[in-house]
Amino acid sequence: MTDTKRNSAETEAQIYAEARRLFNLKGYVGMTLREIAAGVGIEAQSLYNYTKSKQDLVVALMRQGTVAIQEAVDKAVAAADPAPTAQLWAATFAHTQHYCSSEKVVLVREGLVHLSADRRADIVGLLKRYEDTFKDILRRGMEADEFRPLDVTPTCFAILGMGESVVNWFNPGRRLSATDVARMYADLAVRSVARPTA
């Protein structure tokens, strides 16, 4: 890789990181391309060498973030015992740990309403596939009598929402590590759906 290409790739990575930070902090409407450029230390017009518009940039961030968390959860589930209880624990652990510590966390849902219909449909499709990963585990858990009877959709959303909520309070410099929190939330998810023992 030439120095020019390396510098271009480094600048693009910095643009994405700053855009992600501002999007999560201010939302789609609140962040501006001018702010992103200032945060990276380049002229605002230079951003257009890397993205056509704010919407293009946000869509790329959303896709990147959603794909990253899907891959993390898929990997965790594949490595877990095939029993639904073990798979739900692994999926919730990976989900929560991602929100605690991944550099690719994007708070997707806040920005969906601002996207064009075709782009919104693309991101919603990725989100649905992610949600279906958890819903499928919950359904299999009921079929195997490991989980009590559940309304799958709100139960799924409750588990996902619990993991996502760590962005509001988690601080890696405090008492609990990302692993501690992920383990705690995975335990809570499993206990919340487990079939009571006689």
Side-chain angles (χ1 to χ4, degrees):
M1 182 182 289
T2 66
D3 288 344
T4 300
K5 288 183 178 179
R6 183 180 296 108
N7 290 338
S8 177
E10 289 173 357
T11 300
E12 184 175 45
Q14 291 170 357
I15 289 169
Y16 272 68
E18 182 64 7
R20 189 179 299 111
R21 184 186 74 81
L22 289 170
F23 177 79
N24 287 339
L25 180 66
K26 296 186 171 185
Y28 184 91
V29 174
M31 83 168 193
T32 67
L33 293 181
R34 187 173 298 278
E35 283 181 301
I36 295 168
V40 176
I42 61 176
E43 296 294 326
Q45 60 265 29
S46 298
L47 276 178
Y48 294 101
N49 294 321
Y50 300 91
T51 186
K52 294 179 181 178
S53 66
K54 181 167 83 168
Q55 182 165 157
D56 279 357
L57 181 57
V58 168
V59 167
L61 289 175
M62 288 180 172
R63 172 173 279 280
Q64 188 182 75
T66 306
V67 168
I69 196 170
Q70 181 76 64
E71 289 176 348
V73 169
D74 284 349
K75 182 178 179 180
V77 170
D81 185 272
T85 297
Q87 296 208 335
L88 180 62
W89 194 97
T92 306
F93 180 94
H95 173 78
T96 305
Q97 189 174 53
H98 178 88
Y99 278 98
C100 283
S101 58
S102 175
E103 295 179 353
K104 294 184 178 179
V105 168
V106 179
L107 305 179
V108 171
R109 296 184 191 280
E110 187 281 335
L112 285 175
V113 68
H114 303 292
L115 304 184
S116 61
D118 58 331
R119 292 182 172 184
R120 183 166 58 250
D122 177 51
I123 299 300
V124 167
L126 293 175
L127 292 173
K128 185 178 184 304
R129 184 190 165 220
Y130 186 67
E131 291 162 4
D132 284 346
T133 302
F134 285 80
K135 290 178 180 179
D136 288 347
I137 294 171
L138 292 172
R139 291 190 185 99
R140 288 191 289 105
M142 288 190 290
E143 291 169 0
D145 285 332
E146 292 184 27
F147 301 161
R148 60 184 173 79
L150 302 166
D151 191 327
V152 168
T153 295
T155 302
C156 170
F157 290 163
I159 292 170
L160 296 182
M162 178 174 65
E164 291 165 11
S165 71
V166 298
V167 299
N168 297 314
W169 64 268
F170 178 72
N171 184 328
R174 293 181 180 172
R175 179 173 59 89
L176 296 172
S177 69
T179 298
D180 292 333
V181 175
R183 184 179 293 115
M184 186 184 307
Y185 278 24
D187 288 343
L188 286 170
V190 167
R191 286 201 298 269
S192 74
V193 302
R195 180 177 287 281
T197 56

Coordinates of all heavy atoms in Angstrom, one line a residue, residues 20 58-72 98-99 102-108 126-127 130:
R20 N -19.4 8.2 13.9 CA -20.1 7.2 14.8 C -20.2 7.9 16.2 O -21.3 7.8 16.8 CB -19.2 6.0 14.9 CG -19.9 4.8 15.6 CD -19.0 3.6 15.6 NE -18.8 3.1 14.3 CZ -17.6 3.1 13.7 NH1 -16.5 3.7 14.3 NH2 -17.4 2.7 12.5
V58 N -24.2 7.8 7.2 CA -24.9 7.2 8.3 C -25.3 5.7 7.9 O -25.3 4.8 8.8 CB -26.1 8.0 8.7 CG1 -27.0 7.3 9.6 CG2 -25.6 9.3 9.4
V59 N -25.8 5.6 6.7 CA -26.2 4.2 6.3 C -25.0 3.3 6.3 O -25.1 2.1 6.8 CB -26.8 4.3 4.8 CG1 -26.9 2.8 4.3 CG2 -28.2 4.9 4.9
A60 N -23.8 3.7 5.9 CA -22.6 2.9 6.0 C -22.3 2.5 7.4 O -22.0 1.4 7.7 CB -21.5 3.6 5.3
L61 N -22.4 3.5 8.4 CA -22.2 3.2 9.8 C -23.2 2.2 10.3 O -22.8 1.3 11.1 CB -22.3 4.5 10.6 CG -21.3 5.6 10.4 CD1 -21.6 6.8 11.2 CD2 -19.9 5.1 10.9
M62 N -24.5 2.4 10.0 CA -25.5 1.5 10.4 C -25.3 0.1 9.9 O -25.4 -0.9 10.7 CB -26.9 2.0 10.0 CG -27.4 3.2 10.7 SD -29.0 3.6 10.0 CE -29.5 4.9 11.1
R63 N -24.9 -0.1 8.7 CA -24.7 -1.4 8.1 C -23.4 -2.0 8.8 O -23.5 -3.2 9.1 CB -24.5 -1.2 6.6 CG -24.0 -2.5 5.9 CD -24.0 -2.4 4.4 NE -25.3 -2.6 3.9 CZ -25.9 -3.8 3.7 NH1 -25.2 -4.9 4.0 NH2 -27.1 -3.8 3.2
Q64 N -22.4 -1.2 8.9 CA -21.2 -1.7 9.5 C -21.4 -2.2 11.0 O -21.0 -3.3 11.4 CB -20.1 -0.6 9.5 CG -18.7 -1.0 10.0 CD -17.8 0.1 10.0 OE1 -17.9 1.0 10.8 NE2 -16.9 0.2 9.0
G65 N -22.2 -1.4 11.7 CA -22.5 -1.8 13.1 C -23.3 -3.0 13.2 O -23.1 -3.8 14.1
T66 N -24.4 -3.1 12.4 CA -25.3 -4.2 12.5 C -24.6 -5.5 12.0 O -24.9 -6.5 12.6 CB -26.5 -3.9 11.6 OG1 -27.1 -2.6 12.0 CG2 -27.6 -5.0 11.8
V67 N -23.8 -5.4 11.0 CA -23.1 -6.6 10.6 C -22.1 -7.1 11.6 O -22.0 -8.3 11.9 CB -22.4 -6.3 9.2 CG1 -21.4 -7.4 8.9 CG2 -23.4 -6.2 8.1
A68 N -21.5 -6.1 12.3 CA -20.5 -6.5 13.3 C -21.1 -7.2 14.5 O -20.6 -8.2 15.0 CB -19.8 -5.2 13.8
I69 N -22.3 -6.7 15.0 CA -22.9 -7.4 16.1 C -23.5 -8.7 15.7 O -23.5 -9.7 16.5 CB -23.9 -6.5 16.8 CG1 -24.3 -7.0 18.2 CG2 -25.2 -6.3 15.9 CD1 -25.1 -6.0 19.0
Q70 N -24.0 -8.8 14.5 CA -24.5 -10.1 14.0 C -23.4 -11.1 13.9 O -23.6 -12.3 14.4 CB -25.1 -9.9 12.6 CG -25.7 -11.2 12.0 CD -27.1 -11.6 12.6 OE1 -28.0 -10.8 12.5 NE2 -27.1 -12.7 13.3
E71 N -22.3 -10.7 13.4 CA -21.1 -11.7 13.4 C -20.7 -12.1 14.8 O -20.4 -13.3 15.0 CB -20.0 -11.0 12.6 CG -20.2 -10.9 11.1 CD -19.1 -10.1 10.4 OE1 -18.2 -9.5 11.1 OE2 -19.1 -10.1 9.2
A72 N -20.7 -11.2 15.7 CA -20.3 -11.5 17.1 C -21.2 -12.5 17.7 O -20.8 -13.5 18.4 CB -20.2 -10.2 17.9
H98 N -20.8 -6.5 23.2 CA -20.6 -5.6 22.0 C -21.0 -4.2 22.4 O -20.2 -3.3 22.1 CB -21.5 -6.1 20.9 CG -21.4 -5.2 19.7 ND1 -20.5 -5.4 18.7 CD2 -22.2 -4.1 19.3 CE1 -20.7 -4.5 17.7 NE2 -21.7 -3.7 18.1
Y99 N -22.1 -4.0 23.1 CA -22.5 -2.6 23.4 C -21.6 -2.0 24.5 O -21.5 -0.8 24.6 CB -24.0 -2.6 23.9 CG -24.9 -2.6 22.7 CD1 -25.5 -3.7 22.2 CD2 -25.1 -1.4 22.0 CE1 -26.3 -3.7 21.0 CE2 -26.0 -1.3 20.9 CZ -26.5 -2.5 20.4 OH -27.3 -2.4 19.3
S102 N -17.4 -2.6 21.9 CA -17.1 -2.6 20.5 C -17.0 -1.1 20.0 O -17.7 -0.2 20.4 CB -18.2 -3.3 19.7 OG -17.9 -3.1 18.3
E103 N -16.0 -0.9 19.2 CA -15.8 0.4 18.6 C -16.8 0.6 17.4 O -16.9 1.7 16.9 CB -14.4 0.5 18.0 CG -13.3 0.5 19.1 CD -11.9 0.6 18.5 OE1 -11.8 0.5 17.3 OE2 -10.9 0.7 19.3
K104 N -17.6 -0.4 17.1 CA -18.5 -0.3 16.0 C -20.0 -0.1 16.4 O -20.9 -0.3 15.7 CB -18.4 -1.4 15.0 CG -17.0 -1.5 14.3 CD -16.9 -2.6 13.3 CE -15.6 -2.6 12.6 NZ -15.4 -3.7 11.6
V105 N -20.2 0.2 17.7 CA -21.5 0.4 18.2 C -22.2 1.6 17.5 O -21.6 2.6 17.5 CB -21.5 0.6 19.8 CG1 -22.9 1.0 20.2 CG2 -21.2 -0.7 20.5
V106 N -23.4 1.3 17.0 CA -24.1 2.4 16.4 C -25.6 2.3 16.9 O -26.2 1.2 16.8 CB -24.1 2.3 14.8 CG1 -25.0 3.4 14.3 CG2 -22.7 2.4 14.3
L107 N -26.1 3.4 17.4 CA -27.5 3.3 17.9 C -28.4 3.5 16.8 O -28.9 4.6 16.5 CB -27.7 4.4 19.0 CG -26.7 4.3 20.2 CD1 -26.9 5.5 21.2 CD2 -26.8 3.0 20.9
V108 N -28.7 2.4 16.1 CA -29.3 2.5 14.7 C -30.7 3.1 14.7 O -31.0 3.9 13.9 CB -29.3 1.0 14.1 CG1 -30.1 1.0 12.9 CG2 -27.9 0.6 13.9
L126 N -31.6 -6.0 7.9 CA -30.5 -6.5 8.7 C -30.9 -6.6 10.2 O -30.5 -7.6 10.8 CB -29.3 -5.6 8.6 CG -28.6 -5.5 7.2 CD1 -27.6 -4.4 7.3 CD2 -28.0 -6.8 6.8
L127 N -31.6 -5.7 10.7 CA -32.1 -5.7 12.1 C -33.0 -6.9 12.3 O -33.0 -7.5 13.3 CB -32.8 -4.4 12.4 CG -31.9 -3.1 12.5 CD1 -32.8 -1.9 12.7 CD2 -30.9 -3.3 13.6
Y130 N -31.2 -10.0 12.7 CA -30.6 -10.0 14.0 C -31.6 -10.4 15.1 O -31.3 -11.3 15.9 CB -29.9 -8.7 14.3 CG -29.2 -8.7 15.6 CD1 -28.0 -9.4 15.7 CD2 -29.6 -8.0 16.7 CE1 -27.2 -9.5 16.9 CE2 -28.8 -8.0 17.9 CZ -27.7 -8.8 18.0 OH -27.0 -8.8 19.2

